[in-house]
Amino acid sequence: MKRLIATVAMLAMAVPVAAQDARTGVARIYDKALGDGWQNWSWAKTELSVAVQGSQRTPIRVDAGPYQALYLHHDAFDTTPYTTVSMLIQGTGGGGQKVRVVTIVAGKPLDTQGHVVTLPPAGWTKVDLPLTTIGAAGKQIDGFWVQNATDHPIAPFYVTEIALR
């Protein structure tokens, strides 16, 4: 019986982050809702599962003041099985918003500069960031920021289909 309990405990510790789909190798962070184990720790005003006119997606709406961010948190996990974080982002108000994607390790940004993306005036922009680009490859991380990269408020933006691949 002790051996069975020890085996079950070891298997529980070996489970990868947030329900990785064994067929695709993808761990969903957010699609129509947060993936398993992911939490919204944002300090920007956010609204999850928003209906966007003319879109079949249900993204997160982010209203970000200076340097505020959408912060998606998870208990620390190893990124070794993954190579890329991907997401769709859409700007509003004519586009031009500058947002940065930042990796969080032990509750702190790994690199405060992150990777800056300038949003177009309309439509969804697919962002595929190699984990090496944002310093997350082979690390124990606990989340990501999608942050207003400026010192002034920006028009709201939407983020969806966030996944590790």
Side-chain angles (χ1 to χ4, degrees), residues 7 15 17 22-24 27 34 36 48 51-52 74 80 83 89 96 100 102 105 113-114 118 121 124 151 157-158 160:
T7 302
V15 173
V17 65
R23 293 167 293 155
T24 63
L34 289 169
D36 293 340
L48 277 67
V52 176
H74 194 284
T80 301
T83 59
I89 304 178
R100 73 175 120 235
V102 178
V105 175
Q113 298 309 306
T118 302
W124 291 99
D151 62 356
F157 61 94
Y158 297 93
T160 194

Side-chain angles (χ1 to χ4, degrees), residues 118-152:
T118 302
L119 303 182
W124 291 99
T125 297
K126 176 126 172 110
V127 177
D128 286 313
L129 292 174
L131 295 181
T132 54
T133 300
I134 56 175
K139 296 239 173 36
Q140 291 286 320
I141 71 167
D142 49 50
F144 296 100
W145 292 350
V146 181
Q147 181 183 35
N148 174 354
T150 71
D151 62 356
H152 58 274

Side-chain angles (χ1 to χ4, degrees), residues 43-108:
W43 68 94
K45 180 180 177 187
T46 60
E47 185 178 352
L48 277 67
S49 301
V50 175
V52 176
Q53 185 175 2
S55 176
Q56 301 210 3
R57 296 182 170 94
T58 51
I60 302 169
R61 178 187 165 107
V62 183
D63 290 291
Y67 304 111
Q68 290 183 337
L70 165 67
Y71 175 9
L72 299 178
H73 171 81
H74 194 284
D75 290 342
F77 64 93
D78 183 6
T79 63
T80 301
Y82 312 103
T83 59
T84 305
V85 62
S86 64
M87 64 190 75
L88 292 175
I89 304 178
Q90 179 175 314
T92 65
Q97 299 97 320
K98 292 192 182 305
V99 298
R100 73 175 120 235
V101 179
V102 178
T103 302
I104 307 304
V105 175
K108 296 180 180 160

